[in-house]
Amino acid sequence: MSRLEAKKPPLFISEPLTKDRASQSLSLLSRVFKSCYGPAGRLKQLHNGVGGCVCTTSQSSALLRHLSVGSAVLGVVTASVQNHISRFSDCGLFAAILCCSLIENLRSLSVASCTVIKVTRHLSSLCMDYLKSEACGCRVSVDFSSVETLVCLVRSVLTSKPACMLSKTEVGHLAMLLLKAFLFTVPCHVETNAVLGKCIIVPVKGRKVKDSAVLPGLLIETPEIQLGKPLAVKRTASNMIKIAVFSVSMSGDGFHPEEGTIAVQHGISLEMLELNQLLNLGKQLVNDEVGLVVCQKVIHPSLKQYLKENHVMAVDRAGLSLMEPLSRMTGAKPIASIHLLSPGCYGSLKDVSIESFASKHFVHLIPEDTVICSLMLCNRSETAWDELKHVCETAEHVLQLTMKEPLALLGGGCTETHLASYIRYKSSSLSTSIFKDIGCSRTQYQLVADGFCRSLESVARSLDHDGGEILTDMVYGHCWFVPSGFPSVSNWSDLVSKCGCGINGRTEDLKWRILQGQSCSPITQGCPKEPSVKVTDSLTLDCFAAKCSGLQIALETANLILDLSYVIEDQN
């Protein structure tokens, strides 16, 4: 009998944020997130140290999926951001950077943590009320009758991930394709409970991005298909193609020895019994005027041949992932048994064709009403394709969220600096009764508000990775980038052309302020204005729902961590 080791008592860590190890780990994680942020973000290579796949990325979802953190504090941050990404797909790095900055800026204040939490909750409500109000100067309405703003939104998602390695023309091409694919998924006949369709991404690696294309309906890869031969597919009297979808194997291997022992009479072949059953099924399909059979798994060659002779096209190995969109597109109910068919299990298609793309061959299923489409997504390398696939999925989700709430926020750091300007203005004009309700003094409120604003501005500063200056103007509160290599001068207007989001052009009468990371003297600022003339052809935009959620997640997570008194670790 092995010797039993005595159980160790749990380790109690008081005030975890005051410990050097926790502070250094948080600072390191923050630097990793900041270095990945934006179109000029630096890529990270992640691997497990014992070989295997290497992931090259700057996406928060991939970073958090491959990173393992030992600190309980960091675990709370990463779990919160991952939860946000699972719901919104976008603005994960924004939430992570803001959360880390809030913790770093607010924990050093000479204000009790309970007071800090009360003030930040009030600041959060001020931000959300402003962002959702008509007076908000950092949001734009999205008009679905015009593609202009929608293209800007999709283009902003694509350009934010440099590992995709896209040129400007490729970004424009893909943005239009993704928008076209999304519009395919919008039902033509709107009902009370309308549900959006789905875009299926088909991988084509080793080809130019501009070879990518969108097709209505579904593509099923069929390597054995013979090109050049006309398709003889049986049609119904209404000129439609009746389709049967099978989720069960049709290979004739229905008997499995591991499931038990079967007693049969001498001379009887189980394989022949199964094949006869399949052929009887084929006869019923022919009699029911089915023109296309799609099987998730394998179809027996003899059944395939029988169906072909009767002008019924058979496609097998479709895979589990296509079953749900195929069923939805055709109206067919997946058949889980070869012994029983009901008349209501069939669906219908408008047409079937053969498509050849690169070295692959596909059966193209064309529906009557398109809510399912296929995106043939190309990129030159596997690494770039993997990154691009995730970005395209994010863009589709962003468009879905925008359809539900047709608003967008200005990108390029402008929402963060504009919001910081608004909070500085608002916090300086609050009535004494507000401080009494919160339970703090005006000085305490101003200290926390300044730390909150510096945290927002640190997100905007993270967009620069080349050592340039970052400014905000004192009129609109937007973010402006000055290239590196220029000395600090008083007339910044000579060095900037457009603000970060692209909505404001250079004007001579703007007053500037350099964004500083450290605490400085209080900044007096008026309420930031909304630009009177908007340039809308090349805006950088962020998803409204995702960014609002990221802001709230960052604040709530920072408050939770600032309120930690003990961390209890099991040592066994």
Side-chain angles (χ1 to χ4, degrees), residues 63-369:
L63 284 171
L64 295 173
R65 190 169 60 248
H66 289 84
L67 282 177
S68 58
V69 293
S71 165
V73 171
L74 300 190
V76 173
V77 174
T78 56
S80 295
V81 175
Q82 282 179 306
N83 180 56
H84 163 79
I85 295 168
S86 69
R87 294 170 54 221
F88 294 92
S89 300
D90 197 22
C91 296
L93 285 174
F94 164 77
I97 295 169
L98 180 58
C99 179
C100 293
S101 297
L102 283 166
I103 297 168
E104 291 175 338
N105 285 322
L106 298 181
R107 71 179 177 181
S108 58
L109 298 178
S110 55
V111 182
S113 61
C114 59
T115 305
V116 170
I117 292 168
K118 290 177 184 177
V119 174
T120 53
R121 283 176 180 163
H122 185 259
L123 292 170
S124 175
S125 66
L126 286 179
C127 288
M128 296 313 299
D129 290 345
Y130 178 64
L131 290 174
K132 293 181 178 181
S133 70
E134 293 294 328
C136 179
C138 60
R139 78 175 197 187
V140 294
S141 297
V142 177
D143 182 7
F144 274 81
S145 64
S146 171
V147 299
E148 191 177 65
T149 312
L150 293 171
V151 169
C152 289
L153 191 58
V154 175
R155 189 170 54 218
S156 301
V157 175
L158 291 172
T159 55
S160 67
K161 304 304 174 193
C164 296
M165 295 185 283
L166 301 175
S167 67
K168 188 175 181 179
T169 55
E170 289 171 339
V171 168
H173 176 68
L174 264 183
M176 293 304 296
L177 282 186
L178 288 170
L179 186 55
K180 181 180 178 181
F182 172 73
L183 294 176
F184 270 137
T185 67
V186 179
C188 297
H189 309 291
V190 179
E191 301 171 358
T192 306
N193 297 316
V195 179
L196 292 175
K198 193 172 184 180
C199 175
I200 308 299
I201 295 178
V202 181
V204 183
K205 300 171 185 177
R207 296 293 295 265
K208 295 182 294 183
V209 175
K210 293 196 75 174
D211 290 337
S212 301
V214 173
L215 296 173
L218 275 178
L219 293 171
I220 303 177
E221 189 173 358
T222 50
E224 73 279 4
I225 201 76
Q226 293 182 356
L227 295 176
K229 289 191 175 183
L231 287 178
V233 181
K234 184 186 293 185
R235 292 178 179 267
T236 62
S238 58
N239 201 33
M240 298 295 287
I241 299 172
K242 189 180 285 189
I243 177 174
V245 179
F246 288 86
S247 59
V248 67
S249 174
M250 304 173 75
S251 62
D253 58 352
F255 297 106
H256 302 285
E258 65 270 12
E259 295 178 359
T261 303
I262 300 175
V264 295
Q265 294 180 3
H266 179 70
I268 295 179
S269 170
L270 294 179
E271 288 78 9
M272 287 305 299
L273 284 174
E274 187 77 6
L275 179 57
N276 289 334
Q277 179 65 45
L278 286 171
L279 292 175
N280 289 333
L281 173 67
K283 290 176 183 177
Q284 185 177 348
L285 292 170
V286 171
N287 292 335
D288 290 343
E289 296 186 315
V290 171
L292 175 65
V293 174
V294 178
C295 182
Q296 176 187 328
K297 300 178 182 178
V298 179
I299 300 177
H300 195 285
S302 298
L303 177 57
K304 267 189 175 181
Q305 182 63 31
Y306 175 79
L307 293 172
K308 182 180 179 182
E309 291 171 356
N310 288 274
H311 307 294
V312 179
M313 188 174 185
V315 179
D316 61 355
R317 295 182 174 89
L320 177 62
S321 61
L322 290 184
M323 288 295 103
E324 189 273 330
L326 181 58
S327 176
R328 181 174 176 189
M329 183 181 78
T330 63
K333 298 176 182 176
I335 302 166
S337 171
I338 63 171
H339 303 286
L340 181 65
L341 291 181
S342 63
C345 65
Y346 301 128
S348 62
L349 283 171
K350 180 181 179 182
D351 202 1
V352 177
S353 66
I354 302 299
E355 297 287 343
S356 181
F357 203 87
S359 59
K360 297 182 177 183
H361 308 307
F362 301 89
V363 172
H364 183 198
L365 310 184
I366 305 169
E368 182 71 22
D369 293 321

Side-chain angles (χ1 to χ4, degrees), residues 111-119 122 431-445 448:
V111 182
S113 61
C114 59
T115 305
V116 170
I117 292 168
K118 290 177 184 177
V119 174
H122 185 259
S431 63
T432 308
S433 61
I434 299 292
F435 305 128
K436 186 176 180 180
D437 292 339
I438 297 172
C440 69
S441 66
R442 181 180 291 273
T443 302
Q444 289 174 324
Y445 191 97
V448 176

Side-chain angles (χ1 to χ4, degrees), residues 530-551:
E530 184 176 0
S532 55
V533 179
K534 297 183 179 181
V535 181
T536 57
D537 59 341
S538 58
L539 291 183
T540 300
L541 299 176
D542 289 326
C543 176
F544 181 82
K547 198 141 200 178
C548 287
S549 171
L551 176 62

